[in-house]
Amino acid sequence: EAGVAQSPRYKIIEKRQSVAFWCNPISGHATLYWYQQILGQGPKLLIQFQNNGVVDDSQLPKDRFSAERLKGVDSTLKIQPAKLEDSAVYLCASSHYRTGAETQYFGPGTRLLVL
Amino acid sequence: RKEVEQDPGPFNVPEGATVAFNCTYSNSASQSFFWYRQDCRKEPKLLMSVYSSGNEDGRFTAQLNRASQYISLLIRDSKLSDSATYLCVVTLTGNQFYFGTGTSLTVIP
């Protein structure tokens, strides 16, 4: 079974630039998550999708971050404009979520450095 | 208040030692509990689920105490390959996952 795919793996941009990340979850997984993980911290949930609907985006800085999952499969996360404090690893994860809490499977992440 | 709190460590233990990590959660309505392992510069991976009855997987034992709202992970006979960050994870309704900051473990030869 193919895992969660993410691209790019690394990205270096200057502050105030825009950047987009892509995620393709495991086939058949209805729930998709985007996390931000700053060095030395645990992953922080940014947004959670159930199919193509948003379940939780309470911690997404909506003035600069946006995410979509238009067809309920792959997803993009965008930052516009980027700030220095956005330097982090952006992790995408997916899970089945049919009857309750299911195991999450993570992609390899995108390492973002904002200069 | 954070949903999940962990002692960040670091824990530095010799090979063969037994080490225990604890984690507390704030929401009594939390539904499911997990320990994830994260190696340096890698993504988190599920180590084990945590049940009220406790569960064991080889050298690893996980316990849940709902009354006190804490979760524990015990590693016996530590191996060098156990060196990693261990993340405590709690879910709320809607399958929302909340991660602790992680506890860093280094097993020393």
Side-chain angles (χ1 to χ4, degrees), chain A residues 10 31 33 35 37 40-43 45 48 55-56 59 91 95 97 100-104 106-108 111, chain B residues 31-32 34 36 38 40-46 49 87 89 91 93-102:
Chain A
Y10 304 91
T31 309
Y33 310 80
Y35 291 89
Q37 187 172 26
Q41 299 181 18
L45 180 68
Q48 177 185 344
V55 173
D56 182 358
Q59 298 190 90
L91 294 161
S95 68
Y97 190 40
E102 303 277 355
T103 303
Q104 284 187 106
F106 283 85
R111 295 184 180 277
Chain B
Q31 295 186 331
S32 299
F34 306 90
Y36 276 68
Q38 187 171 26
C40 187
R41 301 180 69 83
K42 297 287 188 180
E43 70 273 20
K45 292 186 178 178
L46 179 67
S49 301
L87 297 160
V89 183
T91 71
T93 56
N95 210 32
Q96 296 160 298
F97 286 71
Y98 291 91
F99 284 74
T101 54

Side-chain angles (χ1 to χ4, degrees), chain B residues 37-96:
Chain B
R37 170 188 170 134
Q38 187 171 26
D39 291 295
C40 187
R41 301 180 69 83
K42 297 287 188 180
E43 70 273 20
K45 292 186 178 178
L46 179 67
L47 177 66
M48 57 199 307
S49 301
V50 189
Y51 306 114
S52 296
S53 55
N55 49 307
E56 188 172 313
D57 182 3
R59 298 181 292 107
F60 297 82
T61 301
Q63 295 275 359
L64 165 65
N65 185 319
R66 282 192 181 270
S68 301
Q69 295 182 205
Y70 82 78
I71 307 150
S72 64
L73 176 67
L74 183 76
I75 306 175
R76 290 181 299 278
D77 188 23
S78 299
K79 311 291 185 191
L80 297 178
S81 57
D82 295 335
S83 297
T85 296
Y86 291 84
L87 297 160
C88 175
V89 183
V90 168
T91 71
L92 299 177
T93 56
N95 210 32
Q96 296 160 298

